[in-house]
Amino acid sequence: MKKKRFRFQWGAFLLLFFYGGLFFLLFSRMFMLQATGEVEGQELAARAAAKYSKESAITASRGKIYDTNGQVIAEDTLSYRLIAVINEKATTDAKKPRHVVNAEKTAKILAEYIPMDEEKIYKQLTRVNDKGEKPYQVEFGSAGRGISHETMSKIKAEKLPGVLFVNDLKRYYPNGIFASHLIGFALKEENKDGTFTTKGKMGLELTYNKELTGKDGKVEYETDAFSYLLPNSEKMVTPAKDGDDIYLTLDKTIQSFLEESMTVVEEEYNPESMTAIVADPKTGKILAMSQRPTFNPDTRDGDNMKWLNEAIEETIEPGSTMKTFTLASAIDTGVWDPNKYYPSGQYRVHDRVINDYNKVGWGYITYLQGFQRSSNTAMAHLLKLIGEDVFFDYLDRFGFGKKTGIDLPNEATGTLLSNYPVERVTTTFGQGSTVTPIQLIQALTAIANDGKMMQPYVIDRIVDPLTGKTINKHEPVVKGQPVSADTAKQVKEILASTLTAEKGTATDFVLDDYEVAGKTGTAQIPLGNGRYSWGSNEFLYSFLGMAPVDNPQLIMYVSVKRPKLKGDAGSIPVSKIFNPVMLNSLKYLNVNPEDVKHVDDTSIQDYTGQSAEAIQVRLANDGLKPVIVGSGGKIIDQYPKGLQKLVKGNFVFLKTEGDVTLPDFTNWSLRNVLAFKSMANLEIEVVGEGFVASQSVSAGTVISDSSPIVVKLKTPAESFKQDVETPPEGETTE
């Protein structure tokens, strides 16, 4: 019995020792934690904060890019990201599947809406990992990003199980092909932490990426073990800082004129490339700049295209447009005598022969006739009178051979060749030596601006969108005065004579309403090894001009490389860009023409697919009243339809995509109100007869819902009683 009791006591002792030891260790551990606040070398408070402290990001918007009038060129816009849940475990109710049930059908339908092959979509929808398991969900890369609300709605209407959408931000370029090489584009890139950041990849989007990129904010808070927000937890909010907005010198309307004309010439003549710049000679502001081939920055689609801004980054042998500055040098040095005769046709430089374009020349003609005929030998004789060193000093004054300093990246300098006598001669008529189109524009500002040469620029100002404060403002910069005001005036007069002289080379550039001054160019294109192209379809055709002559408001350079002429003169495709852009732009800027022809009616055409803003200005110049129905951009419909005559003062409705801004209906006829109602697809209730006297929703209101709008009409007699003047509008004529 004693032996049994002893074993019991010994067992109890062992249990007491074991549990007592555990208690002692636990007590010691607790004491150490209380005393030091650390475990495994880490602070407990920090570990707890890491476990229960949460934060979520507040995404900053990328800065907007505007034209000079505040019209949006690039902005962030709401878009959607496509996600497909493919794991069967996501479905808890077989009657309401939450995963992709039929991968083949889903792939076929999605391929109709996103730019991805059906086969690749199917592969994503049936993807498995190394263990043979399906992931919970999959995405579709860039093809599944940036989806518009319209496309999202169409996909949702297909009612595909497992197909979901997440709100996203997308860089949006509402004008499509629009100064694309200048503006560039930005894309979303995935960061190492799985987040996405929009980064500029080309053009202004790249150059000013730092200014345009905002700084994300965050919300910090604490949760319990189940991720529920603690009741006494305070949210710490660090607001996002949106990127700065950039206002350009570009004018959206003038740029639209340019894009439209270049597209027409591209389709008709299929040239290798084209470049064009429109500028204000008084300030150096670039109002429009484009090139072909080009691309749509939303899709980055473009064929046979160089990913560089040719107006800035590429050099050319300009041809006879360079004679403008040879002439200016001769006049400014006092050696120009327009009535002096010289032998045209050929000019020998040691063992080399310089030819005029007809090789045999026109016998002895005056220097003025030689310039009007674009004679190379006239320039060669002038160089001898000017002096080679003096001539190249003038080229330096005009800014050739060095950067203009325009606020764009990768500007080229060009090269002025002067090592050999023949190089100095050929430079006078634009062969051998190279320049950039932007250098030609800068140099021409001196001729158009009474001798003062203005530095070109495209950034007007950079603005903080939160405060509206201007961070950086660009002011016009005078680069020098290469020639006197009197010289500039004489050069303009002689340039104008190339359009009006019987044998002038620029007769294709005459405008009905404004006097133009300018110089054509037909340059041979270097092939390498000292060889040059030859043939009517193998030249670089160009024009460097300004208008009106007496007080130039715009200057413009256009070049068309290797067009398929089909019997046309090389100046024709160039004039089909210069003429409409210069004419419409001057009228848009309200520059009074010297002689305006007045007519009672005008014709309209089918404008579908063209720029609404450009057509709006054109129709207004023709005396019509164009109304854009939508947010602008490409025209998708119009009323009245094209190919008919309208009396001046008649309305033309141009329908585009986007929300509708309500116009001022005052004095509109019932017919025009109904036409607008039909085009805008709005709920407009018309009360009364005659002409509009009032409207329930103010003009300028953006209509984004189906709320009814009441428009009250009154007859002229009723209006007269209330002292309301309501002149009738023009009517359509067949």
Side-chain angles (χ1 to χ4, degrees):
M1 185 73 179
K2 287 184 177 181
K3 191 173 182 180
K4 188 174 182 180
R5 177 189 284 181
F6 176 78
R7 283 201 296 264
F8 175 78
Q9 290 176 341
W10 178 249
F13 174 76
L14 288 176
L15 287 172
L16 178 64
F17 180 80
F18 177 74
Y19 286 108
L22 287 177
F23 179 78
F24 178 77
L25 288 174
L26 180 61
F27 179 79
S28 299
R29 183 65 167 168
M30 291 175 64
F31 178 80
M32 290 295 294
L33 291 176
Q34 285 280 54
T36 65
E38 293 185 358
V39 61
E40 297 178 359
Q42 298 182 9
E43 290 190 12
L44 284 176
R47 292 186 64 173
K51 183 173 183 179
Y52 299 113
S53 294
K54 307 287 185 181
E55 71 175 44
S56 60
I58 303 175
T59 304
S61 293
R62 188 173 176 84
K64 296 180 180 180
I65 300 177
Y66 295 95
D67 84 333
T68 189
N69 298 312
Q71 298 291 313
V72 174
I73 295 176
E75 66 179 340
D76 281 357
T77 186
L78 178 65
S79 64
Y80 300 89
R81 188 168 80 249
L82 177 65
I83 295 173
V85 178
I86 63 174
N87 195 309
E88 294 86 348
K89 295 179 181 179
T91 297
T92 56
D93 184 352
K95 294 181 179 179
K96 296 180 179 179
R98 300 179 61 186
H99 70 285
V100 174
V101 177
N102 189 332
E104 186 175 350
K105 175 186 175 183
T106 303
K108 184 176 181 180
I109 293 175
L110 290 180
E112 297 176 4
Y113 297 102
I114 66 173
M116 194 173 188
D117 294 337
E118 179 181 340
E119 184 179 346
K120 292 182 179 179
I121 297 176
Y122 180 79
K123 191 175 181 180
Q124 276 291 91
L125 296 176
T126 55
R127 201 176 80 188
V128 294
N129 57 26
D130 296 337
K131 297 180 181 180
E133 299 173 342
K134 289 184 177 180
Y136 183 81
Q137 66 186 42
V138 294
E139 297 189 28
F140 303 89
S142 60
R145 285 187 165 276
I147 295 174
S148 68
H149 185 273
E150 181 183 8
T151 302
M152 181 271 293
S153 299
K154 289 180 180 178
I155 296 175
K156 275 192 171 182
E158 300 284 355
K159 297 182 179 180
L160 300 172
V163 174
L164 308 174
F165 292 91
V166 176
N167 287 0
D168 201 359
L169 283 178
K170 173 190 174 184
R171 197 61 169 170
Y172 177 53
Y173 303 90
N175 304 301
I177 294 174
F178 184 93
S180 302
H181 284 82
L182 172 62
I183 305 301
F185 62 90
L187 295 175
K188 269 190 184 279
E189 286 189 350
E190 187 171 5
N191 303 315
K192 292 181 179 179
D193 60 359
T195 60
F196 288 84
T197 303
T198 302
K199 296 180 180 179
K201 293 297 181 182
M202 179 188 173
L204 294 174
E205 290 276 27
L206 173 60
T207 306
Y208 292 89
N209 186 67
K210 181 180 178 181
E211 290 81 358
L212 290 165
T213 301
K215 185 176 182 181
D216 289 348
K218 60 183 178 181
V219 178
E220 297 176 282
Y221 53 93
E222 293 183 346
T223 66
D224 60 16
F226 299 98
S227 296
Y228 289 107
L229 183 68
L230 293 175
N232 295 324
S233 172
E234 292 186 4
K235 290 185 178 181
M236 299 292 292
V237 179
T238 304
K241 169 65 173 67
D242 291 343
D244 295 330
D245 293 335
I246 295 180
Y247 288 79
L248 305 182
T249 61
L250 293 188
D251 189 300
K252 182 179 177 181
T253 300
I254 296 176
Q255 183 72 38
S256 297
F257 290 149
L258 183 60
E259 299 291 358
E260 180 183 350
S261 296
M262 292 185 77
T263 297
V264 168
V265 170
E266 183 179 36
E267 292 174 352
E268 184 175 359
Y269 293 96
N270 191 27
E272 182 178 310
S273 64
M274 295 187 289
T275 304
I277 307 171
V278 183
D280 177 356
K282 311 295 185 185
T283 61
K285 290 181 179 181
I286 301 301
L287 304 178
M289 178 185 291
S290 190
Q291 67 189 63
R292 295 291 185 276
T294 188
F295 66 98
N296 186 325
D298 272 326
T299 62
R300 277 86 58 201
D301 291 337
D303 297 326
N304 303 317
M305 189 187 59
K306 296 178 181 178
W307 293 96
L308 55 82
N309 189 341
E310 295 184 3
I312 310 297
E313 302 178 55
E314 190 162 83
T315 61
I316 57 171
E317 294 185 26
S320 295
T321 52
M322 199 70 175
K323 293 172 182 174
T324 301
F325 310 105
T326 305
L327 171 66
S329 304
I331 294 174
D332 208 57
T333 54
V335 302
W336 169 256
D337 184 349
N339 299 314
K340 185 177 180 180
Y341 284 82
Y342 77 97
S344 64
Q346 295 185 340
Y347 183 93
R348 184 172 293 277
V349 184
H350 300 306
D351 60 336
R352 303 287 295 275
V353 176
I354 304 298
N355 295 309
D356 285 324
Y357 64 83
N358 68 349
K359 293 189 178 181
V360 297
W362 307 271
Y364 277 85
I365 58 175
T366 66
Y367 278 103
L368 178 59
Q369 291 173 328
F371 188 86
Q372 292 168 344
R373 294 172 182 263
S374 197
S375 167
N376 293 338
T377 58
M379 300 300 105
H381 284 287
L382 280 178
L383 178 62
K384 187 184 294 184
L385 298 173
I386 298 169
E388 293 177 352
D389 292 340
V390 174
F391 172 65
F392 276 86
D393 177 61
Y394 270 97
L395 294 185
D396 180 72
R397 293 190 209 177
F398 277 114
F400 296 111
K402 52 190 175 184
K403 296 180 180 181
T404 66
I406 190 172
D407 42 4
L408 291 173
N410 307 320
E411 183 180 4
T413 59
T415 303
L416 297 178
L417 301 180
S418 61
N419 293 327
Y420 303 100
V422 70
E423 292 176 340
R424 298 166 202 152
V425 173
T426 58
T427 296
T428 64
F429 53 84
Q431 294 285 177
S433 292
T434 58
V435 303
T436 62
I438 199 65
Q439 287 175 340
L440 291 170
I441 284 291
Q442 177 180 261
L444 193 63
T445 63
I447 306 302
N449 195 35
D450 296 329
K452 288 190 296 185
M453 187 169 72
M454 307 303 295
Q455 183 181 58
Y457 64 101
V458 298
I459 304 296
D460 182 68
R461 63 191 185 278
I462 300 176
V463 176
D464 184 331
L466 180 63
T467 64
K469 181 181 178 181
T470 298
I471 299 170
N472 189 355
K473 173 69 176 175
H474 193 133
E475 300 293 343
V477 175
V478 179
K479 291 291 291 293
Q481 183 147 349
V483 294
S484 68
D486 185 62
T487 294
K489 181 180 179 181
Q490 290 186 59
V491 173
K492 284 187 291 186
E493 292 172 350
I494 295 169
L495 289 175
S497 74
T498 66
L499 284 79
T500 57
E502 182 182 356
K503 301 297 183 180
T505 58
T507 55
D508 292 323
F509 297 88
V510 173
L511 300 181
D512 291 337
D513 298 329
Y514 301 93
E515 188 177 3
V516 175
K519 185 70 191 74
T520 56
T522 304
Q524 290 181 258
I525 301 170
L527 302 174
N529 300 321
R531 297 181 301 113
Y532 282 83
S533 63
W534 188 260
S536 60
N537 292 336
E538 294 295 324
F539 294 131
L540 176 73
Y541 297 100
S542 61
F543 187 72
L544 182 65
M546 68 189 83
V549 173
D550 291 338
N551 185 19
Q553 300 298 305
L554 295 176
I555 60 176
M556 186 173 177
Y557 173 76
V558 181
S559 68
V560 179
K561 185 177 182 180
R562 292 193 172 109
K564 309 300 183 293
L565 294 175
K566 301 175 183 178
D568 292 336
S571 59
I572 295 299
V574 180
S575 69
K576 288 185 177 182
I577 298 172
F578 180 90
N579 293 8
V581 173
M582 181 61 76
L583 179 62
N584 291 326
S585 297
L586 289 172
K587 289 186 175 182
Y588 159 70
L589 295 173
N590 293 319
V591 178
N592 292 325
E594 295 179 0
D595 181 23
V596 179
K597 295 180 179 179
H598 298 282
V599 293
D600 293 328
D601 57 37
T602 186
S603 298
I604 64 168
Q605 303 172 5
D606 183 0
Y607 303 115
T608 305
Q610 300 184 45
S611 165
E613 290 78 9
I615 297 303
Q616 183 184 39
V617 174
R618 182 190 299 179
L619 295 177
N621 290 336
D622 289 339
L624 299 172
K625 296 181 179 179
V627 177
I628 296 178
V629 184
S631 58
K634 188 176 291 186
I635 297 171
I636 59 176
D637 196 6
Q638 71 181 69
Y639 177 85
K641 301 298 183 182
L643 300 178
Q644 59 177 295
K645 287 186 177 182
L646 301 179
V647 174
K648 286 190 174 183
N650 205 4
F651 280 68
V652 178
F653 298 93
L654 307 172
K655 183 174 177 58
T656 69
E657 298 286 357
D659 291 336
V660 175
T661 300
L662 208 63
D664 184 354
F665 289 123
T666 303
N667 295 333
W668 280 34
S669 67
L670 174 61
R671 187 188 64 176
N672 284 324
V673 172
L674 294 177
F676 181 87
K677 175 182 178 180
S678 175
M679 296 289 284
N681 195 27
L682 294 178
E683 292 294 325
I684 299 179
E685 181 180 353
V686 179
V687 179
E689 296 180 354
F691 297 90
V692 177
S694 65
Q695 58 195 83
S696 63
V697 180
S698 300
T701 303
V702 177
I703 307 300
S704 57
D705 56 29
S706 57
S707 300
I709 301 162
V710 179
V711 175
K712 293 184 178 180
L713 281 67
K714 293 183 179 180
T715 63
E718 292 173 325
S719 300
F720 178 78
K721 290 177 183 179
Q722 299 181 29
D723 296 321
V724 177
E725 185 178 354
T726 55
E729 301 160 301
E731 298 296 328
T732 303
T733 59
E734 297 298 333

